[in-house]
Amino acid sequence: MKKVFSVFLAVVMMASACFLFSSCENNNDEGAVVEAYFVGEQFQFDPLYALVDDDAARALSLLFEPLFRLDNGGRVQNALAESYKIVRNKEKKLYQMEITLRDASWSNGTQVTADDVVKAWQRIIDPATKSQAAPLLYDIEGALEVKNGELTSVEGDFRVTAESAKLLSITFRNHYDEKGEVVEIDYDAFLRKLTSLALSPIPSSIVANAENYWGRMSATIVTNGPFRVSTLDNLNVKQFTLERNRYYHRLKSENEGEVTYKSLKESVRPYQMVTSWSEDSFETLAERLENNTVFLLCDMPLSMRAEYKKKATTDGLLSTSSVLFNLNEGNALLAALGAEGYKNLRLALSAVISREEIVERITFATPADGFVSDGVINGKNRGNTFRDAKDASLISTKAESEKAATYLASANLTGPVTIRLAVSSAEADSAVGQYLKEKWESLSPNIRVRLTKYSYSTQEIIPDGNDAENAYIVNVPGVEEIYYNAASFAAYDAVLMDYQMLSPDAFAPLCGFASAETGMSGNGYNVVPDAEGHQHLDEKYGHMTGYANAAYDALIKQAYEEVDLDKRAAILHQAEQVLLGDMPLIPLTFGQSFYVKSGLLSDIGNDNYYGYPVFTKLKMRDYTKYLPKEEETSAEEQ
């Protein structure tokens, strides 16, 4: 939902489509350059922090590959994993999953190992880490206990181990029935969690030396997906370049010397994607699409969207655009209105807006009638969605003016108040922010909304060891910084962001709102140095909003213990109802991806449950007309 930028896709043609090539035997042919508008500003490529909005998730889906993938029907397919099996030892009450990895390399040619998966998950479960993804791992023995500080060793007590370079072993925590017998979890549901981008492996040797910034510098961004980041300029040109990862699903030893590409099942031909987030050419996009100087639009100005709605291919995202409120101690609205008054104000702010009107303004979205997004699976049957369950609609998609007035009357609004609302500088977000300002200020002359547009303009200097002259300059992330940094969040009363579900399971996003007392939110502990400089755990963190409700906590704990997926879904529906009764966040719309393409392009894949476009099989007719300049020169010389 950030600024749109240019993308140049160098398209790869497969052996099965040799009729598109002037010479199918030329292994040096890197494919055409296809200009497109793909995604917005992106400065953070670390899955731990970047997966807090739609644009970041779409970009990272090209760069990182988790163990499994989820097709459009909700069926689990192998990705980095080659196979898995369940290992049971009923006498010892030990239940495990062993996952064998395929032969695969990182974009720098080093092998992707089981230890890279272990390190990624340990990083999420480490109590010093704030992560929305932590609840995805709570089926594993020791995960919650390490996260909330009851157990102390993330390497020993969190039971995920690398048995070899290619074998990952997972030990599940035990659930017991009334007779004291172990009840096994639903392994299919667990595998669906492992399709989350948030659980992708990390290049552990790189991250170990650059924990805080490896995902913001091209030299340290190493990926295991079909693409890699080859250049990243945050300061001057403000663009980054993606290239096809020549080591995708291959070991480096197979790539010594000249690389031969045979089929996508073996590898993919590398190609280039240069990205720049300038809006200078927005006004000519329609014309450029017609004359084939731009080939793919995955984003576009609001002025074009209504016209292109019927031409676009759309897909739902597991994402809910939401306004998150600051309920933490010290917030001015909380101090002025009290907890109950502030809650009623939030309920009034939700009731006065029309989610259908928001969709009319931004086009590519659907009105939200709850927090958990469309597509999240409800219970055992993967064909049932959380939103389609009986009585699942919790908020109106239309404005409810009378209800808003009733809530406002109970808000103790005796004088002027200012709501500090932060939105990104993207055109669509700015439009939504302006709409909210208009509707909220219409409630009362005492309400004023101060709209602030956050961006990626803040810079941070990272020294290169002790060499000050060679310090790196990177941009501090926008919404990531606000969401994960309490001091940044405290500067606002409300923040507009895309709330990612992260997987097709409702537990993780709802568990994230558990209070600090439970230690279940995923945000861990505040880690501080003692007098001798040693790190130790201080206070637990809840959700960044500061939301706390004992009844809600009890439901989340109950869902955590429940194995039966249908019973657990019923509990989570109750939890969502409590959450939206307190309204620490206002759901607005469910996310939607879209693209409009030139007739020259084909095979843009969409067999992805998360809704991200898939470019691994992309083809382009007459591609030789759009070769990079170097290749054109080479062809002329020959």
Side-chain angles (χ1 to χ4, degrees):
M1 292 173 62
K2 303 175 186 134
K3 279 188 187 175
V4 179
F5 61 68
S6 302
V7 177
F8 298 90
L9 294 170
V11 178
V12 85
M13 308 300 172
M14 297 290 85
S16 61
C18 283
F19 66 91
L20 298 178
F21 283 84
S22 59
S23 173
C24 288
E25 297 179 356
N26 181 7
N27 287 324
N28 294 320
D29 186 342
E30 298 294 334
V33 176
V34 180
E35 185 174 354
Y37 284 80
F38 176 59
V39 72
E41 289 181 335
Q42 189 64 29
F43 288 101
Q44 175 62 275
F45 295 90
D46 184 343
L48 182 67
Y49 300 111
L51 291 173
V52 291
D53 72 350
D54 293 346
D55 275 2
R58 187 164 54 197
L60 265 69
S61 71
L62 301 177
L63 300 173
F64 292 92
E65 182 174 76
L67 291 166
F68 300 93
R69 60 177 293 271
L70 206 60
D71 70 14
N72 272 342
R75 294 174 290 270
V76 175
Q77 309 286 341
N78 290 344
L80 176 60
E82 184 175 72
S83 63
Y84 77 92
K85 66 178 181 180
I86 305 300
V87 180
R88 298 174 174 90
N89 188 326
K90 295 186 178 181
E91 291 184 1
K92 294 184 178 180
K93 297 182 179 181
L94 190 66
Y95 296 83
Q96 297 175 308
M97 178 181 288
E98 291 183 349
I99 300 175
T100 301
L101 274 56
R102 68 165 70 242
D103 289 333
S105 296
W106 290 102
S107 55
N108 64 0
T110 59
Q111 184 178 4
V112 180
T113 67
D115 192 57
D116 292 327
V117 179
V118 172
K119 290 294 194 297
W121 294 6
Q122 287 177 345
R123 191 169 173 239
I124 291 170
I125 293 300
D126 191 313
T129 303
K130 297 177 182 179
S131 174
Q132 289 179 242
L136 294 173
L137 299 171
Y138 287 172
D139 286 321
I140 300 174
E141 183 178 339
L144 177 58
E145 291 80 3
V146 170
K147 193 68 180 178
N148 67 22
E150 293 178 25
L151 296 175
T152 58
S153 173
V154 70
E155 295 182 352
D157 296 322
F158 175 46
R159 298 293 301 281
V160 176
T161 56
E163 301 299 320
S164 68
K166 294 177 59 177
L167 184 61
L168 182 73
S169 177
I170 299 168
T171 302
F172 297 105
R173 66 186 179 90
N174 288 338
H175 297 263
Y176 296 91
D177 61 17
E178 295 177 353
K179 297 180 181 180
E181 298 295 325
V182 175
V183 181
E184 296 182 56
I185 67 167
D186 188 303
Y187 299 115
D188 289 336
F190 178 74
L191 287 172
R192 286 196 291 268
K193 295 177 185 177
L194 300 191
T195 67
S196 174
L197 278 171
L199 300 186
S200 299
I202 59 171
S204 54
S205 61
I206 301 290
V207 177
N209 296 316
E211 166 69 27
N212 295 325
Y213 61 88
W214 77 274
R216 290 185 271 162
M217 296 173 54
S218 59
T220 52
I221 300 171
V222 178
T223 65
N224 76 313
F227 292 84
R228 72 182 186 93
V229 179
S230 58
T231 67
L232 175 60
D233 185 338
N234 298 339
L235 189 60
N236 300 311
V237 183
K238 293 192 175 182
Q239 70 176 27
F240 64 88
T241 304
L242 300 188
E243 292 181 353
R244 289 297 287 269
N245 176 8
R246 67 176 62 239
Y247 299 122
Y248 180 56
H249 287 185
R250 306 185 77 187
L251 289 180
K252 185 177 181 180
S253 59
E254 298 179 31
N255 293 274
E256 300 294 348
E258 185 176 2
V259 182
T260 301
Y261 302 93
K262 295 180 180 179
S263 73
L264 274 172
K265 292 182 179 179
E266 285 191 16
S267 182
V268 288
R269 185 187 296 275
Y271 65 83
Q272 182 174 275
M273 181 161 63
V274 182
T275 66
S276 170
W277 40 90
S278 168
E279 296 181 355
D280 295 343
S281 55
F282 268 10
E283 295 180 0
T284 64
L285 271 182
E287 180 181 345
R288 294 178 67 201
L289 188 65
E290 292 296 324
N291 63 23
N292 287 327
T293 56
V294 65
F295 300 89
L296 183 66
L297 306 181
C298 295
D299 208 340
M300 62 178 65
L302 297 183
S303 59
M304 291 180 61
R305 294 188 178 190
E307 177 185 353
Y308 280 85
K309 182 177 181 181
K310 292 183 179 180
K311 302 177 185 179
T313 300
T314 61
D315 203 351
L317 299 171
L318 300 188
S319 171
T320 305
S321 176
S322 306
V323 178
L324 275 64
F325 284 89
N326 187 346
L327 315 184
N328 291 283
E329 184 178 352
N331 176 261
L333 289 175
L334 179 62
L337 304 177
E340 191 66 19
Y342 191 15
K343 181 181 82 169
N344 281 299
L345 175 62
R346 298 192 301 274
L347 292 168
L349 297 176
S350 175
V352 76
I353 62 177
S354 167
R355 290 150 180 88
E356 295 176 3
E357 289 181 8
I358 293 175
V359 170
E360 287 179 6
R361 295 196 179 197
I362 63 176
T363 305
F364 294 109
T366 57
D369 61 351
F371 165 59
V372 177
S373 74
D374 277 340
V376 170
I377 295 172
N378 190 62
K380 297 176 183 177
N381 187 344
R382 66 172 185 266
N384 295 333
T385 69
F386 201 82
R387 291 269 61 89
D388 291 336
K390 183 180 179 181
D391 301 323
S393 182
L394 300 179
I395 51 179
S396 174
T397 60
K398 301 179 182 295
E400 299 177 295
S401 300
E402 292 184 5
K403 184 178 287 188
T406 300
Y407 284 129
L408 188 65
S410 302
N412 299 326
L413 196 65
T414 58
V417 296
T418 298
I419 301 172
R420 300 167 297 170
L421 172 63
V423 304
S424 86
S425 56
E427 184 187 23
D429 280 6
S430 297
V432 173
Q434 186 60 40
Y435 173 82
L436 295 175
K437 175 178 170 65
E438 294 168 5
K439 299 299 289 187
W440 290 354
E441 290 184 342
S442 73
L443 271 171
S444 166
N446 281 331
I447 296 177
R448 289 289 177 267
V449 177
R450 190 173 75 201
L451 198 60
T452 301
K453 297 180 182 180
Y454 61 79
S455 67
Y456 290 76
S457 59
T458 305
Q459 295 173 4
E460 177 183 348
I461 298 176
I462 300 176
D464 182 10
N466 296 320
D467 187 355
E469 293 184 1
N470 292 323
Y472 299 108
I473 300 177
V474 299
N475 285 66
V476 175
V479 67
E480 295 94 338
E481 173 71 11
I482 294 171
Y483 184 76
Y484 286 111
N485 188 304
S488 298
F489 189 81
Y492 305 104
D493 300 303
V495 177
L496 175 66
M497 64 174 285
D498 300 324
Y499 206 104
Q500 304 301 301
M501 301 295 107
L502 295 184
S503 86
D505 187 296
F507 178 74
L510 289 170
C511 183
F513 284 89
S515 72
E517 182 180 348
T518 67
M520 297 181 70
S521 71
N523 283 336
Y525 271 81
N526 180 31
V527 179
V528 297
D530 59 22
E532 297 178 354
H534 301 297
Q535 302 291 324
H536 69 94
L537 304 180
D538 192 10
E539 60 178 329
K540 294 180 182 179
Y541 286 125
H543 192 269
M544 186 59 68
T545 58
Y547 176 67
N549 181 312
Y552 185 83
D553 288 347
L555 289 167
I556 294 300
K557 291 176 182 177
Q558 187 180 352
Y560 170 76
E561 297 295 348
E562 182 56 65
V563 175
D564 186 284
L565 294 183
D566 289 337
K567 292 180 180 179
R568 195 188 68 161
I571 297 168
L572 293 175
H573 277 289
Q574 294 180 55
E576 186 188 37
Q577 188 170 13
V578 172
L579 183 73
L580 294 185
D582 292 331
M583 206 64 77
L585 83 166
I586 297 178
L588 303 177
T589 59
F590 296 137
Q592 193 175 61
S593 70
F594 68 92
Y595 67 82
V596 178
K597 70 178 183 66
S598 161
L600 297 181
L601 297 185
S602 61
D603 288 1
I604 298 177
N606 63 351
D607 190 17
N608 184 318
Y609 196 85
Y610 291 89
Y612 314 133
V614 180
F615 296 107
T616 53
K617 297 183 180 181
L618 187 66
K619 296 184 180 73
M620 181 181 182
R621 191 174 73 248
D622 298 332
Y623 90 103
T624 53
K625 296 180 181 179
Y626 307 98
L627 293 175
K629 296 296 183 181
E630 293 78 6
E631 290 193 18
E632 290 178 354
T633 302
S634 176
E636 290 173 1
E637 290 175 353
Q638 292 177 1

